[in-house]
Amino acid sequence: MSDYKAPVRDMKFVLNEVLAADRLLATMPGTEEVNEELINSVLEEAGKVAASLLAPLNRSGDEEGCQFSDGKVTTPSGFRDAYRTFAQGGWIGLAGDPAYGGQGMPKMLAVCFEEMIMAANSSLALYAVLSAGASLALARHGNEELKQAYLPRLYDGSWSATMCLTEPHAGTDLGIIKTKAAPQADGSYQVTGTKIFITGGEHDLTDNIIHLVLAKLPDAPAGPKGISLFLVPKFLPDANGEPGERNNLGCGSIEHKMGIKGSATCVMNFDGATGYLVGEVNKGLACMFTMMNYERLTIGLQGLGLGDASYQTAAAYARERTQGRAATGPVAPEQSADPLLVHPDVRRMLLTMRANTEGARALAMYVGSQLDVAYFHPDEQARTRASKLVALLTPIAKTAFTDKGFEACVLGQQVLGGHGYVREWGQEQHVRDARIAQIYEGANGIQALDLMGRKVVHDRDALLDVLVDEIRDYIKAEQNGRASPFIATLSKALDCLVSTTQWIRDASAENPNEVGAASVAYLELMTLILYLYMWSRMVSTASEALEKGASDKDFYTAKIQLGCYFLDRLMPRYKALAEEIKAGSDVVMAMDAAMF
Amino acid sequence: MSDYKAPVRDMKFVLNEVLAADRLLATMPGTEEVNEELINSVLEEAGKVAASLLAPLNRSGDEEGCQFSDGKVTTPSGFRDAYRTFAQGGWIGLAGDPAYGGQGMPKMLAVCFEEMIMAANSSLALYAVLSAGASLALARHGNEELKQAYLPRLYDGSWSATMCLTEPHAGTDLGIIKTKAAPQADGSYQVTGTKIFITGGEHDLTDNIIHLVLAKLPDAPAGPKGISLFLVPKFLPDANGEPGERNNLGCGSIEHKMGIKGSATCVMNFDGATGYLVGEVNKGLACMFTMMNYERLTIGLQGLGLGDASYQTAAAYARERTQGRAATGPVAPEQSADPLLVHPDVRRMLLTMRANTEGARALAMYVGSQLDVAYFHPDEQARTRASKLVALLTPIAKTAFTDKGFEACVLGQQVLGGHGYVREWGQEQHVRDARIAQIYEGANGIQALDLMGRKVVHDRDALLDVLVDEIRDYIKAEQNGRASPFIATLSKALDCLVSTTQWIRDASAENPNEVGAASVAYLELMTLILYLYMWSRMVSTASEALEKGASDKDFYTAKIQLGCYFLDRLMPRYKALAEEIKAGSDVVMAMDAAMF
């Protein structure tokens, strides 16, 4: 099993060269001190933490799994110490609010860190990213008292957090949850109900666990507009802020799963547990969406990171394993066979993995940069514009990164043949661990519906126009530039997107089923366009660096070659997607339900 | 977890109505007695065996797995009894030679049975299908003495068999195997070497295990032309043909794998073990290919069967689970939510699974019918023509069924959301069990190379012409028939295939890397065309049945609706595949090996 190496060089390229991060960050109060030197040193430190602290526990954590006994969860050997060391490094609060002990780093840098820890050990990383996401929701929507009591403990990792949404009968459809919150005389609430699939609901890594729970007040309206958000700690803080009285909640069992076996997935029972309202009554879903949108991008990074980890093992194997001969004649005549890399189809698998991974990585940092603008930028118009891009791009990033990430893990397993199916090389674990990312945090089909329905067809904020205008401006500026073949296809594909969007808008006005019938193919069409947009920008930047005589010639040359592979071999699919969409919904809805 | 139900109705439709099996079988000596009544009763019995004997042990077999201790393998509880009962039913020799105790059933019927047992319990089924495949190789290439000594025991299931090809350094590249066979004075051989990934190499199901082993004679030429095939039994038969002296071979360990955990995957050590030559010296690879081609189709059926099993669970879940509301208004206003089936995207997943499954099932029986013609038909020209089709179609069937089968299992898991990721519903096991089918029996990339290289570009037998002519004749006969929209697309896609093939032939004459750069996309293009060919025939037949007032109206209507889904939503991809191929190999080969 080859060791994980964080893709620091590629991240520096995108952040510093393609996105010119320090120029952007310098313009915004709160990020002005984050310069290229700081970016590079955070990336390098993060890479070391991921590779040396988290990665070594990845396979043993899978083998051992979490154990449940008498309401207690024991995480795999080594997890507790590693988590403490990790937390003490300040990593959990990396992008946290400095007023409460966070490091205040921009999101465009934090996404790099999250990709690394997810790649190195998704199970262990999940405890951290849930704490970071819950902190964000609390920082945005909690009152001052809650923030002071909980944020410093969450940022320093002595406490962790969860998000409690799903119930046995209510997963995607949160409007029908049954968990109740009864108001108490002291302003607190008593929360009662059962939540399932709660990641990190119970474990032995931290001194306290803070649950963010969706529940309904007694008089709440039916459906999603009657949901409120509550903070429910495992131990109620005492007068000194230390974990005090045990709250009335507990873990009923943990799930036996396909993968992420070091992550405890819990059934949580709240039995009149004391909780505190976060945000306004009946607006809990909107507050929770702050955390959910954060986690959606982060879970996207899980797919991306695991795809990269799988690539690294597969590429190392293909360089070393000898089997067969090159079609053009032996390249290693002194050996009984040539390295796998001489075979075009082995390269196809590796290049497909990597072209999607590097396209996704650039897009992740791009989305991160828009999150930073939306939060830190002094100009309101700039913030609004960036918020619109984030709203549009979040479901795409979550779905694209996890679908292509899973596909990459499957390809990376295939490169190793039978050796990929046995446990030894770790490739089968990557497949199992990546699979969940397509399912949780809103299944990918739901993300596509969110994009197609809320963000495109029924949208009144012209979200799509912001993106289309940006890419059109880019095309105009670059059409005779260094990446002109990319620009030509990007222009055609964008026209295809615009006409297909119009077709769906028109068709769905007649028949609302057109939205759901088109959604997944539409998201995939958007993905191809966004990846091509990123590849165009990366190829331009790399070409410019080569022209200027950059020293790292091999890196830039490979980057351009990989971009060409994406353009020539992965992009042609976009036209078929438009055709599939325009086949319409009738053929999807025709069959009688009884005949399924 | 829903119960597996064998798709008997669909199989009857394809065999009896689409392929008119009994008319074909009546013309061939050896199969003339297999009429529709017999076909139907075999299908029904097979369905019962799969559902009631094998399926109940599927999950427990996965949970328990095989255990290895002191050279012995213990299969999961219940496997031994079920295997004995199964064998006593005569199922292992279903298509075996009646002269040695086989049932002599045609392959077009046997493929249905194999799909069922693979769907119900792949791990347990593997022991049986390896015995059946080894029997076939022995029946075709073994001498009379070997056949009399071994075939009856293999057919009645008291003994089982394996195929021993792979070595630690030699998987795909069998030319470099190191296992040696030293000739002995009595005409036998002493076989020495290590084989890995041997399915059923050791277990407790049968009284003896017969290994078919590839090895090299001391003076053998280098490469694939120096390989011979040996029969090496675990116990040497005594004078009465009963298991006697223990041979010098043993199991060193078993693999810990992603799935098929009830199937023992063994490291086999041969230490001067007594073996007997099968076929001619140095022609072992050709003899083994009789078994390998058999197993390739059978492993294809593993993908197909597991995809169907996953569909059945997903469809049952989608009918019952309520979540959200139909876009066109509630269909179950009395409940808090509508069934999942109201959502177009849930239907998309189910219809995609099923359209590929039913297309594959028809193609499996079509290939089975060609195998029957190739073996049983009295006319030599007919036999030759069928053999050519089989040679062309075997790598496609293996790859298409397993790739689409795995995709179906992933979709079937997705339909269940988080419930698909936990063990309880069995959907995650289907994904893990189906994954191996893309890897073993020649990884799918190798199948594509076999198709593109040996069977198309370097072929001197005009294999492709046989298929293209058949489909062209069909198009001519049916262009104004009941499935005319299918015929129109089939005609365009076939033209695309022909022109793309010519492009590859021309380009690869200049650059041999074009073969490997095109192969996987080419196989996928062929798959779409073959599935559409099958769907056209099924839709025609179903339409005719409806016109004639058939009683099973719902079945035929659903069949036509599913065909339309395939045509409109899955077929458009073919043009993109041609475009990807024509991008050529340069973009695949450009990157320096050191930069991977």
Side-chain angles (χ1 to χ4, degrees):
Chain A
M1 185 171 162
S2 80
D3 297 327
Y4 174 70
K5 285 180 199 73
V8 172
R9 177 68 186 91
D10 195 43
M11 288 170 171
K12 286 181 183 173
F13 168 72
V14 177
L15 276 180
N16 299 326
E17 301 179 61
V18 180
L19 298 179
D22 63 353
R23 245 189 296 156
L24 171 67
L25 296 170
T27 63
M28 304 191 295
T31 65
E32 47 310 46
E33 283 169 26
V34 184
N35 57 23
E36 187 168 331
E37 197 188 335
L38 179 56
I39 286 173
N40 290 349
S41 88
V42 171
L43 289 176
E44 275 152 24
E45 277 311 305
K48 282 180 205 161
V49 165
S52 65
L53 189 66
L54 276 62
L57 297 172
N58 191 43
R59 185 166 165 210
S60 59
D62 181 66
E63 299 278 355
E64 196 176 336
C66 287
Q67 309 301 326
F68 177 78
S69 175
D70 285 340
K72 288 193 177 154
V73 173
T74 310
T75 57
S77 310
F79 269 40
R80 189 178 157 87
D81 286 347
Y83 195 82
R84 300 249 153 173
T85 306
F86 177 77
Q88 280 156 12
W91 294 105
I92 295 170
L94 184 68
D97 188 339
Y100 302 90
Q103 306 285 327
M105 287 294 112
K107 185 71 183 176
M108 64 197 298
L109 184 56
V111 295
C112 297
F113 162 69
E114 289 179 352
E115 181 199 319
M116 293 177 191
I117 61 172
M118 284 294 199
N121 190 331
S122 284
S123 286
L124 189 46
L126 278 166
Y127 299 99
V129 299
L130 278 161
S131 298
S135 304
L136 186 70
L138 200 55
R140 300 278 167 92
H141 305 289
N143 61 32
E144 193 54 36
E145 199 181 344
L146 286 177
K147 290 201 274 188
Q148 287 193 2
Y150 293 93
L151 281 179
R153 307 295 186 123
L154 290 170
Y155 287 148
D156 74 13
S158 54
W159 297 0
S160 68
T162 75
M163 55 195 296
C164 299
L165 289 74
T166 302
E167 299 181 6
H169 69 293
T172 295
D173 189 355
L174 291 169
I176 57 175
I177 61 167
K178 291 178 180 166
T179 299
K180 298 281 175 215
Q184 303 300 300
D186 66 353
S188 71
Y189 294 80
Q190 281 201 351
V191 177
T192 303
T194 297
K195 297 286 182 177
I196 65 168
F197 299 155
I198 306 309
T199 302
E202 177 59 36
H203 57 75
D204 56 1
L205 301 179
T206 58
D207 304 333
N208 202 357
I209 302 173
I210 310 307
H211 305 283
L212 292 187
V213 184
L214 290 182
K216 307 195 89 164
L217 290 174
D219 54 352
K225 287 175 184 166
I227 298 175
S228 303
L229 180 63
F230 300 89
L231 184 155
V232 187
K234 177 178 169 185
F235 295 102
L236 296 163
D238 65 16
N240 301 319
E242 298 299 322
E245 188 191 341
R246 172 81 195 222
N247 209 345
N248 293 324
L249 62 92
C251 174
S253 61
I254 62 174
E255 303 292 344
H256 300 279
K257 311 186 298 292
M258 184 184 196
I260 53 165
K261 296 192 179 188
S263 167
T265 307
C266 304
V267 174
M268 295 302 298
N269 299 312
F270 297 90
D271 189 20
T274 301
Y276 309 99
L277 184 71
V278 177
E280 290 176 45
V281 162
N282 294 339
K283 303 235 167 121
L285 213 49
C287 300
M288 195 55 128
F289 256 103
T290 300
M291 179 169 183
M292 282 159 72
N293 278 325
Y294 170 92
E295 299 297 349
R296 281 176 180 184
L297 181 56
T298 302
I299 293 309
L301 299 169
Q302 181 184 0
L304 167 54
L306 289 172
D308 187 39
S310 180
Y311 171 84
Q312 293 186 22
T313 299
Y317 187 87
R319 281 194 305 264
E320 286 157 29
R321 170 85 170 176
T322 60
Q323 204 79 172
R325 287 295 185 192
T328 47
V331 303
E334 74 288 1
Q335 299 175 339
S336 64
D338 288 336
L340 284 186
L341 263 184
V342 302
H343 303 297
D345 190 58
V346 172
R347 284 174 166 254
R348 173 192 65 82
M349 293 190 269
L350 293 169
L351 291 168
T352 300
M353 297 170 78
R354 190 161 145 192
N356 281 326
T357 294
E358 293 186 15
R361 185 176 292 137
L363 185 60
M365 289 183 243
Y366 173 82
V367 176
S369 74
Q370 298 301 332
L371 277 161
D372 290 328
V373 172
Y375 187 67
F376 291 110
H377 205 285
D379 175 45
E380 194 192 331
Q381 234 179 331
R383 288 201 303 275
T384 304
R385 181 184 174 283
S387 297
K388 288 183 180 185
L389 278 174
V390 167
L392 185 74
L393 296 179
T394 298
I396 303 174
K398 193 275 181 180
T399 303
F401 299 175
T402 59
D403 281 353
K404 303 289 181 201
F406 177 72
E407 182 192 308
C409 291
V410 170
L411 286 171
Q413 182 182 28
Q414 193 74 19
V415 170
L416 274 74
H419 298 279
Y421 194 70
V422 299
R423 310 212 61 172
E424 189 182 349
W425 284 80
Q427 293 294 73
E428 63 88 33
Q429 185 189 345
H430 288 138
V431 174
R432 289 185 290 104
D433 286 353
R435 183 69 185 90
I436 187 59
Q438 300 172 286
I439 297 173
Y440 63 10
E441 283 311 315
N444 285 0
I446 298 299
Q447 304 292 336
L449 266 185
D450 175 49
L451 171 70
M452 183 87 270
R454 205 173 319 167
K455 309 286 172 68
V456 173
V457 170
H458 305 301
D459 157 56
R460 289 173 192 177
D461 298 322
L463 301 182
L464 183 62
D465 292 351
V466 178
L467 180 70
V468 170
D469 290 349
E470 174 172 321
I471 300 181
R472 278 216 203 289
D473 289 348
Y474 170 76
I475 290 169
K476 207 176 289 172
E478 294 289 331
Q479 57 193 340
N480 301 312
R482 292 180 180 88
S484 55
F486 290 75
I487 302 294
T489 300
L490 184 59
S491 177
K492 279 185 229 158
L494 194 67
D495 290 345
C496 174
L497 175 73
V498 169
S499 68
T500 304
T501 306
Q502 195 54 50
W503 185 92
I504 299 166
R505 283 177 171 150
D506 293 344
S508 64
E510 304 288 316
N511 180 354
N513 278 327
E514 297 296 343
V515 170
S519 52
V520 163
Y522 186 81
L523 190 146
E524 204 178 337
L525 176 59
M526 287 279 277
T527 300
L528 286 171
I529 290 169
L530 286 162
Y531 282 17
L532 186 61
Y533 177 40
M534 292 298 123
W535 271 114
S536 303
R537 294 178 65 168
M538 290 193 282
V539 166
S540 289
T541 304
S543 301
E544 191 182 347
L546 283 177
E547 281 168 28
K548 288 183 176 166
S551 61
D552 203 356
K553 195 169 161 251
D554 291 345
F555 173 84
Y556 296 111
T557 304
K559 185 60 92 171
I560 294 167
Q561 288 163 336
L562 197 56
C564 292
Y565 180 85
F566 183 85
L567 176 66
D568 288 356
R569 304 280 304 204
L570 300 181
M571 197 61 203
R573 173 118 174 77
Y574 82 86
K575 284 173 273 187
L577 291 163
E579 200 179 327
E580 287 159 34
I581 290 168
K582 289 179 184 169
S585 70
D586 288 349
V587 78
V588 176
M589 302 309 292
M591 196 184 289
D592 193 274
M595 293 307 292
F596 275 85
Chain B
M1 183 171 162
S2 80
D3 296 327
Y4 173 70
K5 283 181 201 71
V8 172
R9 177 67 186 92
D10 196 43
M11 289 170 172
K12 287 181 183 172
F13 168 72
V14 177
L15 277 180
N16 299 326
E17 300 179 60
V18 181
L19 298 178
D22 62 353
R23 245 190 294 157
L24 170 67
L25 297 170
T27 65
M28 305 191 295
T31 64
E32 37 323 37
E33 284 168 23
V34 184
N35 56 25
E36 187 168 329
E37 197 187 337
L38 180 56
I39 287 174
N40 290 349
S41 86
V42 171
L43 289 175
E44 276 153 24
E45 278 310 305
K48 283 180 205 160
V49 165
S52 65
L53 190 65
L54 275 63
L57 298 171
N58 190 44
R59 186 168 164 208
S60 59
D62 180 67
E63 299 277 355
E64 197 177 335
C66 286
Q67 309 300 326
F68 177 78
S69 174
D70 285 339
K72 289 193 176 155
V73 172
T74 310
T75 56
S77 310
F79 269 41
R80 189 178 157 88
D81 287 346
Y83 195 82
R84 299 250 153 171
T85 306
F86 177 77
Q88 281 157 12
W91 293 105
I92 295 169
L94 185 68
D97 188 339
Y100 303 90
Q103 306 284 328
M105 287 294 112
K107 186 71 184 176
M108 64 197 298
L109 183 56
V111 295
C112 296
F113 163 68
E114 290 178 351
E115 181 199 318
M116 293 176 190
I117 62 172
M118 284 294 200
N121 190 329
S122 285
S123 286
L124 189 47
L126 278 166
Y127 299 99
V129 300
L130 279 161
S131 298
S135 304
L136 186 70
L138 201 55
R140 299 278 167 92
H141 305 290
N143 61 32
E144 193 53 36
E145 199 181 344
L146 286 178
K147 291 201 272 189
Q148 288 194 0
Y150 293 93
L151 281 180
R153 307 295 185 124
L154 290 170
Y155 288 151
D156 75 13
S158 54
W159 297 359
S160 68
T162 75
M163 54 195 298
C164 300
L165 288 75
T166 303
E167 299 181 5
H169 69 294
T172 295
D173 189 354
L174 291 169
I176 58 175
I177 61 167
K178 291 178 181 165
T179 298
K180 298 283 175 212
Q184 303 300 300
D186 66 353
S188 71
Y189 293 80
Q190 283 202 349
V191 177
T192 303
T194 297
K195 297 285 182 178
I196 63 168
F197 298 155
I198 307 308
T199 302
E202 177 59 36
H203 57 75
D204 56 2
L205 302 179
T206 58
D207 303 333
N208 202 359
I209 302 172
I210 311 306
H211 304 283
L212 292 187
V213 185
L214 290 182
K216 308 195 91 167
L217 290 174
D219 54 352
K225 287 175 184 165
I227 297 176
S228 303
L229 180 63
F230 300 90
L231 184 156
V232 187
K234 176 178 170 186
F235 295 102
L236 296 163
D238 65 17
N240 300 319
E242 298 299 321
E245 188 191 342
R246 171 79 196 224
N247 209 347
N248 294 324
L249 62 91
C251 174
S253 62
I254 62 173
E255 304 292 344
H256 300 280
K257 312 186 298 292
M258 184 185 197
I260 53 165
K261 295 192 179 188
S263 167
T265 306
C266 304
V267 174
M268 294 303 298
N269 300 312
F270 297 89
D271 189 18
T274 300
Y276 309 100
L277 184 70
V278 177
E280 290 176 47
V281 161
N282 293 339
K283 303 235 166 119
L285 214 49
C287 300
M288 195 53 129
F289 256 103
T290 300
M291 179 168 184
M292 281 158 72
N293 278 325
Y294 171 93
E295 300 296 350
R296 282 176 180 185
L297 181 54
T298 303
I299 294 310
L301 299 170
Q302 181 184 359
L304 167 52
L306 289 172
D308 187 39
S310 179
Y311 171 83
Q312 293 186 21
T313 300
Y317 187 86
R319 281 194 305 265
E320 286 156 30
R321 170 86 170 176
T322 59
Q323 205 79 172
R325 287 292 185 194
T328 48
V331 303
E334 74 287 2
Q335 298 174 340
S336 65
D338 288 336
L340 283 186
L341 264 183
V342 302
H343 302 298
D345 190 58
V346 172
R347 285 174 164 254
R348 173 192 65 82
M349 293 190 269
L350 292 169
L351 292 168
T352 300
M353 298 169 78
R354 190 160 145 193
N356 281 325
T357 294
E358 294 186 15
R361 184 176 292 136
L363 185 60
M365 289 183 244
Y366 173 83
V367 176
S369 74
Q370 299 301 331
L371 278 161
D372 291 328
V373 171
Y375 187 68
F376 291 110
H377 205 284
D379 176 44
E380 195 192 331
Q381 234 180 328
R383 289 200 303 275
T384 305
R385 181 183 175 283
S387 297
K388 289 183 180 185
L389 278 174
V390 168
L392 184 74
L393 297 178
T394 298
I396 303 173
K398 193 273 181 182
T399 303
F401 300 175
T402 58
D403 281 353
K404 303 289 181 202
F406 177 72
E407 182 193 307
C409 291
V410 171
L411 286 171
Q413 183 182 28
Q414 193 75 20
V415 170
L416 274 74
H419 298 280
Y421 195 69
V422 300
R423 310 211 60 173
E424 190 182 349
W425 284 80
Q427 293 295 71
E428 64 87 33
Q429 184 189 345
H430 289 138
V431 174
R432 290 186 289 104
D433 286 353
R435 183 68 185 90
I436 186 58
Q438 300 172 286
I439 297 174
Y440 63 8
E441 283 309 317
N444 285 359
I446 297 300
Q447 304 293 336
L449 266 184
D450 175 49
L451 170 70
M452 183 86 270
R454 206 173 316 168
K455 310 285 172 69
V456 174
V457 169
H458 304 302
D459 158 55
R460 289 173 192 176
D461 299 322
L463 301 182
L464 183 63
D465 292 351
V466 178
L467 180 69
V468 170
D469 290 349
E470 174 172 321
I471 299 180
R472 277 216 205 290
D473 289 347
Y474 170 77
I475 289 170
K476 207 175 290 169
E478 295 288 330
Q479 56 193 340
N480 300 313
R482 292 182 180 87
S484 54
F486 290 75
I487 302 294
T489 300
L490 184 59
S491 177
K492 278 186 229 158
L494 194 67
D495 290 345
C496 174
L497 175 73
V498 169
S499 67
T500 304
T501 305
Q502 195 54 53
W503 185 92
I504 300 165
R505 283 178 170 150
D506 293 345
S508 64
E510 302 289 316
N511 180 354
N513 278 327
E514 297 296 344
V515 170
S519 52
V520 163
Y522 186 82
L523 190 146
E524 203 178 338
L525 177 58
M526 288 278 279
T527 300
L528 286 171
I529 290 169
L530 287 162
Y531 282 17
L532 186 61
Y533 177 39
M534 292 298 123
W535 271 114
S536 302
R537 294 179 63 169
M538 291 194 282
V539 166
S540 288
T541 304
S543 301
E544 192 182 346
L546 284 177
E547 282 168 26
K548 289 182 174 167
S551 61
D552 203 356
K553 193 168 162 253
D554 291 345
F555 174 83
Y556 295 111
T557 304
K559 185 60 91 169
I560 295 167
Q561 288 164 336
L562 196 56
C564 292
Y565 180 85
F566 183 85
L567 176 67
D568 288 355
R569 304 281 303 203
L570 301 182
M571 197 62 203
R573 172 118 174 76
Y574 83 86
K575 284 173 272 187
L577 290 164
E579 199 179 327
E580 287 159 34
I581 290 169
K582 289 179 184 169
S585 69
D586 287 352
V587 77
V588 176
M589 302 309 292
M591 196 184 289
D592 193 273
M595 294 307 292
F596 275 86

